[in-house]
């Protein structure tokens, strides 16, 4: 399997970044983008500089002043054109993303389709986004309207680039704003390709800039820029906290989609076949590099042995391989450095007394030698309070815990700084309802896992985030709300002389 069947330079000239409507070489340093399947250099991306950020914000503000005055249905039409462009380039976008992230082509194809769907959904939501006439309480007509903020800073991680870019750009544009997007250092290529599609769609120049670069340089410059009125960030909780501090200095609103350490709970009455498939998909799809990965598995003590025996056999059968191989289920991790970080977590788990039931190593063989592969891993024997069960590993590593009663289960499932997602496997609708309502998580899946719909809001509780994405209200997150009172009183005002 050769990854080089994507001629990257024909997809995106990576030495150019998009600054205020102009494609040109970034003012920062060059950085190599690596294919994690074999360690080869795909291309060199020239980072943006702080001066590029200044220019992008100024250009964005100018473009937004006109864009924000356009009628919603006119803006919606542009969002459809962007979706058309994504769909027309779907195959090459997916292949490019597979090269840059290592992910399976099946997954990157789904992410591309989801990005197009996000633009279409936000177009539809925009056209049906009604302003509010509020109930009259006095001699005035009262209403509440939403207005654009101006320039939005969008900062995204490396794990699902085009989908997370679209989740920020589409609602921000819909709401009448400009966007300055900063993709992650490891995976800028598909975001640059999306920038090309946006430019080609005829969107007013300057409305979207794409500025790859380091978080501490370009990301920080965007967050602190006085011309940026809101930042929408997806990434780790440590970075999210830094951004929240910087936002506090400016009193700027932020949306933060952060990390997770999500529990998956199997109840005694669960359909074991379905639960095993769901648990596997929940943790090992995307090689575990997913904020919502179901990384802590809670099993009822009475059935733990039987379940684990079947689970471990199923994990050992998972096909680890190149993302472009259609048979692959577990692709390489995004970068060799990240693979080493995951391996470090497993080594520390072993040292702490954890029992590695399967995996716990890099796979052997020529096909894997140069890539950032790590075997799907199951670890038992550690307490929920252990670092392995508390820290986000962001790799194909599942911790197994057992429980005897529901109160103890809920307490331990909630004993985490995170509150992003949860999976429940049970045939009893009452158990599902009761436990789903007791779990601290922005999303709970019942007899399924990792399903997503753009029409359903997504958010994190506790240290998993602030604000929401997706859903009709997703557009409102990129607006400022204003109330208007129209005086109707025909009688003279009591203060009238
Ligand atoms: P990260 O926090 O290291 O980086 C995310 C982005 O922030 C990158 O573009 C990075 O360059 C930028 N950044 C870094 N420091 C910055 C700073 N000081 N100021 C501004 N920007 C800065 O995260 P990552 O390693 O790229 O991604 C993995 C993390 O993302 C995991 O924790 C995962 O759970 C989280 N994530 C969350 C969601 C969600 O929706 N909740 C979705 C995907 C990923």
């Amino acid at each position: 399997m050769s990854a080089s069947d994507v001629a990257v330079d024909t997809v995106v000239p990576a030495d150019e970044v998009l600054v205020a409507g102009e494609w040109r070489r970034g003012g920062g340093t060059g950085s190599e983008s690596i294919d994690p399947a074999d360690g080869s250099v795909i291309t060199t991306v020239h980072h943006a500089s702080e001066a590029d950020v200044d220019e992008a914000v100024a250009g964005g503000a100018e473009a937004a002043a006109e864009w924000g005055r356009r009628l919603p249905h006119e803006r919606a039409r542009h969002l459809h054109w962007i979706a058309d462009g994504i769909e027309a380039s779907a195959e090459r976008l997916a292949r490019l993303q597979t090269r840059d992230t290592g992910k399976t082509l099946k997954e990157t194809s789904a992410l591309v389709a989801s990005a197009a769907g996000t633009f279409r959904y936000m177009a539809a939501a925009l056209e049906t986004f009604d302003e509010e006439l509020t109930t009259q309480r006095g001699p005035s007509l009262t209403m509440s309207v939403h207005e654009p903020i101006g320039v939005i800073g969008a900062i995204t991680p490396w794990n699902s680039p085009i989908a997370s870019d679209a989740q920020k750009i589409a609602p921000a544009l819909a709401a009448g704003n400009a966007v300055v997007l900063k993709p992650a250092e490891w995976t800028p290529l598909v975001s640059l390709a999306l920038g090309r599609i946006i430019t080609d769609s005829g969107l007013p120049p300057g409305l979207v800039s794409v500025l790859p670069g380091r978080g501490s340089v370009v990301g920080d410059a965007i967050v602190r820029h006085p011309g940026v009125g809101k930042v929408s960030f997806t990434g780790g909780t440590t970075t999210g906290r830094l951004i929240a501090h910087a936002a506090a200095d400016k009193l700027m609103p932020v949306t933060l989609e952060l990390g997770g350490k999500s529990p998956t709970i199997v109840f005694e009455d669960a359909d074991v076949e379905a639960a095993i498939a769901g648990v596997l998909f929940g943790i090992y799809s995307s090689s575990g590099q997913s904020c919502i990965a179901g990384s802590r598995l809670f099993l009822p003590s009475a059935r733990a042995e039987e379940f684990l025996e079947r689970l471990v056999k199923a994990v050992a059968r998972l096909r680890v391989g190149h993302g472009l191989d259609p048979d692959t289920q577990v692709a390489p991790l995004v970068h060799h450095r990240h693979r080493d970080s995951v391996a470090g977590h497993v080594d520390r788990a072993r040292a702490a007394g954890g029992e590695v039931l399967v995996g716990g190593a890099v796979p052997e063989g020529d096909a894997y030698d140069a890539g950032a592969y790590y075997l799907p891993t199951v670890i038992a024997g550690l307490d929920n309070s252990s670092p392995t069960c508390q820290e986000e590993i962001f790799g194909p590593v599942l911790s197994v815990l057992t429980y005897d009663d529901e109160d103890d289960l809920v307490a331990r499932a909630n004993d985490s700084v995170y509150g992003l997602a949860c999976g429940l496997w049970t045939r009893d609708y009452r158990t599902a309802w009761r436990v789903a309502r007791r779990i601290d998580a922005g999303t709970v899946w019942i007899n399924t896992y990792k399903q997503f719909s753009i029409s359903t809001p997504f958010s994190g509780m506790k240290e998993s985030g602030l604000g929401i994405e997706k859903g009709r209200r997703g557009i409102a997150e990129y607006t400022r709300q204003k109330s208007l009172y129209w005086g109707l009183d025909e009688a003279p005002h009591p203060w009238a002389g």
Side-chain angles (χ1 to χ4, degrees):
M1 171 62 52
S2 162
S4 59
D5 56 354
V6 187
V8 170
D9 285 345
T10 64
V11 180
V12 42
D15 59 345
E16 292 183 352
V17 301
L18 178 57
V19 187
E22 190 188 346
W23 283 96
R24 62 172 199 230
R25 176 173 283 219
T29 50
S31 167
E32 289 178 342
S33 233
I34 305 289
D35 182 338
D38 58 14
S40 62
V41 176
I42 307 173
T43 188
T44 297
V45 173
H46 287 268
H47 284 178
S49 64
E50 289 176 51
D52 292 331
V53 173
D54 284 339
E55 216 178 304
V57 174
E62 197 181 322
E66 188 273 328
W67 173 252
R69 283 197 301 271
R70 291 196 194 183
L71 291 172
H73 71 278
E74 293 168 347
R75 295 201 297 265
R77 200 167 51 208
H78 276 274
L79 298 191
H80 280 297
W81 290 340
I82 296 171
D84 291 344
I86 294 172
E87 283 164 357
S89 301
E91 167 84 17
R92 67 190 179 99
L93 288 170
R95 284 180 171 269
L96 179 67
Q97 192 166 2
T98 287
R99 280 207 74 190
D100 212 18
T101 61
K103 282 173 180 282
T104 63
L105 194 57
K106 190 170 179 191
E107 187 183 344
T108 54
S109 301
L111 292 171
V112 171
S114 131
T118 297
F119 278 96
R120 293 209 191 283
Y121 176 84
M122 289 301 167
L126 173 60
E127 288 219 52
T128 54
F129 188 94
D130 291 334
E131 303 290 8
E132 228 182 309
L133 197 62
T134 55
T135 309
Q136 201 175 329
R137 300 272 298 181
S140 34
L141 186 67
T142 47
M143 62 183 70
S144 191
V145 296
H146 292 80
E147 297 187 346
I149 292 172
V151 179
I152 305 297
I155 301 178
T156 51
W158 45 258
N159 63 323
S160 310
I162 197 168
S164 39
D165 298 347
Q167 266 165 44
K168 298 183 188 314
I169 296 174
L173 288 180
N177 301 286
V179 181
V180 177
L181 170 71
K182 196 208 83 66
E185 291 98 304
W186 284 344
T187 58
L189 297 182
V190 83
S191 307
L192 288 166
L194 178 61
R196 292 266 167 196
I197 287 167
I198 290 174
T199 312
D200 293 347
S201 74
L203 197 74
L207 213 45
V208 172
S209 289
V210 183
L211 305 181
R214 284 194 202 300
S216 55
V217 180
V218 180
D220 189 61
I222 292 171
V223 173
R224 293 181 193 280
H225 200 292
V228 171
K230 168 165 183 159
V231 164
S232 178
F233 169 80
T234 299
T237 294
T238 306
T239 316
R241 195 172 271 118
L242 282 176
I243 290 173
H245 278 289
D249 284 343
K250 287 169 65 180
L251 280 180
M252 171 181 73
V254 282
T255 297
L256 301 174
E257 298 291 356
L258 308 177
K261 190 76 189 179
S262 300
T264 301
I265 301 167
V266 177
F267 290 91
E268 273 198 69
D269 66 344
D271 172 341
V272 173
E273 273 316 304
I276 286 178
V279 169
L280 293 183
F281 185 72
I283 180 67
Y284 300 121
S285 59
S286 316
S287 303
Q289 303 166 113
S290 173
C291 55
I292 36 111
S295 49
R296 287 184 297 147
L297 173 62
F298 286 89
L299 296 175
S301 298
R303 296 194 68 184
E305 200 178 321
E306 162 210 347
F307 190 95
L308 262 184
E309 199 183 313
R310 291 173 68 172
L311 178 82
V312 165
K313 281 189 187 144
V315 173
R317 281 197 301 269
L318 288 173
R319 293 183 298 275
V320 179
H322 196 294
L324 291 177
D325 183 335
D327 288 334
T328 293
Q329 291 170 293
V330 182
L333 301 184
V334 70
H335 200 281
H336 294 70
R337 289 218 306 271
H338 183 56
R339 189 268 312 273
D340 295 345
S341 152
V342 170
H345 276 282
V346 175
D347 292 346
R348 289 192 291 282
R350 270 198 189 95
E355 189 189 352
V356 175
L357 303 180
V358 61
V362 297
E364 290 177 0
D366 291 350
Y368 305 115
D369 282 353
Y373 292 94
Y374 199 81
L375 287 172
T377 299
V378 178
I379 300 177
L382 291 172
D383 194 77
N384 185 58
S385 61
S386 67
T388 306
C389 296
Q390 291 291 320
E391 293 169 4
E392 188 182 38
I393 298 175
F394 223 58
V397 180
L398 177 69
S399 298
V400 183
L401 301 144
T402 56
Y403 67 90
D404 291 305
D405 81 89
E406 194 175 297
D407 285 341
D408 169 59
L409 163 70
V410 170
R412 284 194 294 144
N414 284 339
D415 183 12
S416 163
V417 295
Y418 298 112
L420 197 56
C422 171
L424 304 178
W425 296 90
T426 175
R427 288 189 166 100
D428 185 337
Y429 68 91
R430 290 159 300 197
T431 304
W433 174 252
R434 202 173 54 241
V435 178
R437 300 305 301 265
R438 293 180 73 189
I439 292 289
D440 299 336
T443 298
V444 177
W445 285 287
I446 297 155
N447 294 326
T448 182
Y449 203 88
K450 243 182 152 181
Q451 286 197 355
F452 272 126
S453 140
I454 180 65
S455 53
T456 308
F458 182 76
S459 60
M461 295 182 180
K462 303 193 290 194
E463 293 187 20
S464 288
L466 288 176
I468 60 145
E469 286 196 318
K470 304 188 181 179
R472 289 167 66 95
R473 270 194 52 214
I475 295 179
E477 293 271 306
Y478 292 93
T479 63
R480 301 184 290 192
Q481 207 162 342
K482 180 180 284 176
S483 296
L484 302 176
Y485 286 67
W486 291 46
L488 299 174
D489 211 354
E490 288 179 18
H493 192 280
W495 281 26

